[in-house]
Amino acid sequence: NAGVTQTPKFQVLKTGQSMTLQCAQDMNHNSMYWYRQDPGMGLRLIYYSASEGTTDKGEVPNGYNVSRLNKREFSLRLESAAPSQTSVYFCASSPQGAGINQPQHFGDGTRLSIL
Amino acid sequence: EDKVVQSPLSLVVHEGDTVTLNCSYEVTNFRSLLWYKQEKKAPTFLFMLTSSGIEKKSGRLSSILDKKELFSILNITATQTGDSAVYLCALRTGTASKLTFGTGTRLQVTL
């Protein structure tokens, strides 16, 4: 009963280092999303993938790249980490298609600190 | 730009009290409004509302949407300490089903 699995759970980086956050879902969902959550800001969409083979920018994409590796997996990459990217990162997935209106399901998050 | 505003930002109540959390919004291409509960980790889904005036209910929690006045409320009756959490309101818009979140209401239920 895994749902959405994110790895790692915690990570500390130095400014300028690169890192990839991994996300996998086992619910056969078409759409996947990456959010960041900062104090007082709610969750903000970084990138999303409406279906396998497509990716699009969300509200705060600068400094990030994504890869939809297959239907199950959606990774988020920080090429050159900056202190402003210190945050909690959540991956989510949902079914997608004509007539489908279903909630997103979230992973437990990755707490990332950049020094 | 889509906008979701939740109030109050935080709330402290005694166990057994009834609370009402508010969510107002300005969005284009509305599809649905969702409520999530977030304790320490992942937001967990509570309700999805698409039509005005139809109450969704689950145990002590209920929610309703007013699409004319552009707001929703989440009610929790007979609160318990386990209800302590951040409650998030989100609007689902467009064909890609993106979510725009409010900043959340932090609820603390004390004995």
Side-chain angles (χ1 to χ4, degrees):
Chain A
N1 196 21
V4 180
T5 303
Q6 292 184 233
T7 55
K9 294 190 182 339
F10 303 96
Q11 185 71 46
V12 178
L13 293 178
K14 293 181 180 178
T15 298
Q17 287 185 315
S18 62
M19 161 127 205
T20 299
L21 308 186
Q22 307 287 353
C23 175
Q25 52 91 9
D26 62 2
M27 296 175 283
N28 201 36
H29 288 168
N30 290 325
S31 298
M32 297 185 74
Y33 310 83
W34 276 106
Y35 295 88
R36 61 178 287 174
Q37 186 174 34
D38 302 298
M41 299 287 289
L43 280 84
R44 292 181 292 167
L45 183 65
I46 305 171
Y47 269 93
Y48 65 100
S49 171
S51 61
E52 188 178 354
T54 68
T55 61
D56 283 288
K57 295 178 181 179
E59 183 185 351
V60 288
N62 291 346
Y64 305 95
N65 285 302
V66 290
S67 295
R68 183 74 182 267
L69 304 168
N70 48 54
K71 191 171 185 179
R72 289 187 64 247
E73 298 172 289
F74 188 38
S75 63
L76 178 73
R77 183 161 178 84
L78 288 70
E79 289 291 352
S80 178
S84 61
Q85 294 177 304
T86 293
S87 189
V88 181
Y89 291 85
F90 287 98
C91 178
S93 70
S94 70
Q96 176 69 14
I100 296 175
N101 193 9
Q102 294 292 327
Q104 292 181 15
H105 298 267
F106 286 81
D108 282 342
T110 295
R111 187 174 294 275
L112 184 61
S113 294
I114 298 159
L115 306 177
Chain B
E1 183 181 324
D2 295 342
K3 190 174 177 183
V4 181
V5 178
Q6 292 187 245
S7 63
L9 291 180
S10 66
L11 191 57
V12 180
V13 300
H14 290 109
E15 200 171 44
D17 287 350
T18 294
V19 298
T20 298
L21 310 183
N22 303 290
C23 176
S24 63
Y25 62 91
E26 297 174 22
V27 297
T28 55
N29 204 3
F30 175 94
R31 290 192 70 192
S32 54
L33 184 146
L34 294 88
W35 286 97
Y36 285 86
K37 177 182 181 182
Q38 185 177 27
E39 296 175 86
K40 294 197 186 306
K41 294 185 178 178
T44 54
F45 172 71
L46 295 174
F47 297 112
M48 183 166 68
L49 304 155
T50 56
S51 301
S52 281
I54 299 174
E55 185 183 53
K56 291 281 184 92
K57 198 169 171 64
S58 176
R60 296 176 295 100
L61 279 66
S62 63
S63 184
I64 197 160
L65 173 67
D66 186 330
K67 290 171 76 173
K68 182 179 177 185
E69 299 298 329
L70 306 183
F71 77 91
S72 173
I73 59 172
L74 175 67
N75 279 320
I76 308 174
T77 59
T79 51
Q80 302 171 356
T81 55
D83 295 326
S84 296
V86 175
Y87 290 85
L88 299 166
C89 173
L91 271 295
R92 184 172 186 162
T93 59
T95 55
S97 298
K98 296 184 289 183
L99 291 181
T100 300
F101 281 86
T103 54
T105 293
R106 181 175 298 277
L107 173 65
Q108 184 180 351
V109 182
T110 62
L111 292 171

